[in-house]
Amino acid sequence: MVDAGNSRIKWALAPAARPAHWQAASPAFLASGAVDHAEWRTLATQIRAGWSALGTGAADTADASLASDASAAPDAPGTHSDRHFAPNMAPLAIGQGGQEDGFVCPEPAGVWLTNVAGDAAEQAVRMTLQTLWGMASADWLKVLRAGESRAGVRNGYRVPTQLGSDRWASLIGAHAAWPGEHLLIVTLGTATTVEALQGNGEYLGGLIAPGPALMLQSLAQGTAQLPTLDATMPSGGQAFARSTTEAILRGCAAAQAGLVERSHAQLEAQLGAPVRCVLSGGARHALAQTLTLPFTEHDQLVPAGLYEVALRDAQSTTSATTGTAAANATPTDTPAGASRAAEPARRGV
């Protein structure tokens, strides 16, 4: 699964067959990572390293290292359950796949992409596939686009295709994680998005606002004397600030929190029932210390949603292939999918 966002390209490997213990609320991806768009040439290196580690035991070492981090919640998605690979790695040569050490990445059962970063980002992903698996592998890529319904979620947009594919995947992932629950899904990244999802999978609509970093940048660029601040800086609390730096940080954090808390209250009043608030996205920590309402964190909603789509697509394809083969089989025939029936459990998507 690949998620090309506004700032980074994120990826994750998952089993091609859903594990019995799989929980969408805390997905145990086999490996994951992210690169800035400017560093897209290292994406193939990361994926190769992640896949290689699965067979060498290095992933277990990574897990042990993560487990020693006292700041990480034991069950937090994106911490202990998957192996994350840092972006500072040398890029592989296009078309070579870095096979000089004898390791060849297994062919994936499928590759799925959400992309809000334009044609250049999609081309970067296709080039990555070519680097790892050759020219023909670019044809494996399936690009998710929003539609009227998918994986139990019904799109409430007037024009369903206008909904961003990352938001669509997040809705699918959240519904799979908490089926039957009313959800307010808040994703904080370059932009802050707020989505209202009923427990029956009906998407009621959403909101889009500047993310924490964009708010800070707009103040610095639109005023003569205010400084440029980092959104990861601690705001220092919720009280009225007594310095300019604290005033900016707390003001922007309060604006983000106010959007979420107002939306949460509105949705609970509209539905007349409790609503779970879900925080996701790389900038969510800027909000976590400011919100006054309970919330659940999930840092892998987009790949979790892509995984649901990939599994259902594979199941649908297998069912169609098996049905056709069975209809055409003679008593001595072997159905086309039989020899590969066990293969998905050994492959990744």
Side-chain angles (χ1 to χ4, degrees):
M1 286 77 64
V2 185
D3 171 25
N6 290 300
S7 301
R8 299 184 300 164
I9 302 176
K10 286 87 69 177
W11 60 272
L13 298 177
R18 189 195 303 270
H21 62 276
W22 182 265
Q23 296 181 11
S26 183
F29 291 117
L30 302 175
S32 67
V35 299
D36 293 338
H37 283 287
E39 303 295 328
W40 72 266
R41 290 181 181 274
T42 66
L43 182 60
T45 313
Q46 276 195 31
I47 294 172
R48 182 180 187 275
W51 217 312
S52 176
L54 298 179
T56 62
D60 294 332
T61 302
D63 267 354
S65 174
L66 286 168
S68 66
D69 182 1
S71 66
D75 297 322
T79 55
H80 303 162
S81 59
D82 64 320
R83 294 82 174 172
H84 191 85
F85 291 82
N88 297 323
M89 308 171 77
L92 300 175
I94 298 298
Q96 293 185 5
Q99 299 175 15
E100 64 280 353
D101 60 358
F103 175 79
V104 179
C105 280
E107 178 183 316
V111 184
W112 281 84
L113 169 70
T114 59
N115 177 27
V116 297
D119 293 340
E122 181 173 333
Q123 184 62 22
V125 174
R126 292 186 181 278
M127 292 293 287
T128 296
L129 299 183
Q130 291 178 22
T131 297
L132 290 170
W133 295 292
M135 292 293 293
S137 64
D139 297 333
W140 302 346
L141 187 65
K142 296 184 179 182
V143 182
L144 179 69
R145 293 183 173 85
E148 292 185 359
S149 65
R150 193 139 198 182
V153 178
R154 293 176 298 282
N155 192 341
Y157 255 35
R158 295 190 185 94
V159 181
T161 54
Q162 287 184 352
L163 182 65
S165 60
D166 56 343
R167 296 170 65 194
W168 183 231
S170 291
L171 289 164
I172 293 170
H175 184 62
W178 298 283
E181 289 193 43
H182 303 313
L183 303 174
L184 186 78
I185 304 158
V186 183
T187 303
L188 293 102
T190 304
T192 294
T193 60
V194 180
E195 321 291 0
L197 183 65
Q198 282 188 257
N200 62 3
E202 191 75 27
Y203 173 50
L204 303 178
L207 304 171
I208 303 175
L214 278 182
M215 280 193 170
L216 294 173
Q217 290 171 17
S218 67
L219 281 175
Q221 294 171 3
T223 59
Q225 299 184 24
L226 294 183
T228 300
L229 301 177
D230 189 335
T232 62
M233 297 172 63
S235 63
Q238 299 180 15
F240 291 106
R242 302 181 69 176
S243 75
T244 299
T245 295
E246 290 179 344
I248 294 172
L249 291 171
R250 295 183 193 182
C252 290
Q256 298 281 325
L259 170 67
V260 175
E261 291 168 357
R262 175 188 175 96
S263 300
H264 186 265
Q266 178 181 344
L267 185 57
E268 286 199 330
Q270 179 178 337
L271 298 177
V275 172
R276 180 192 292 266
C277 179
V278 181
L279 295 189
S280 187
R284 71 186 186 281
H285 302 295
L287 184 62
Q289 298 178 352
T290 307
L291 278 179
T292 59
L293 56 83
F295 59 86
T296 301
E297 294 190 57
H298 194 306
D299 195 36
Q300 299 278 15
L301 279 181
V302 172
L306 277 177
Y307 190 42
E308 291 298 319
V309 171
L311 289 172
R312 291 172 186 241
D313 180 79
Q315 183 179 17
S316 175
T317 301
T318 300
S319 297
T321 302
T322 302
T324 302
N328 296 330
T330 66
T332 58
D333 285 336
T334 298
S339 63
R340 299 169 63 91
E343 187 174 357
R346 300 192 302 271
R347 301 165 73 194
V349 59

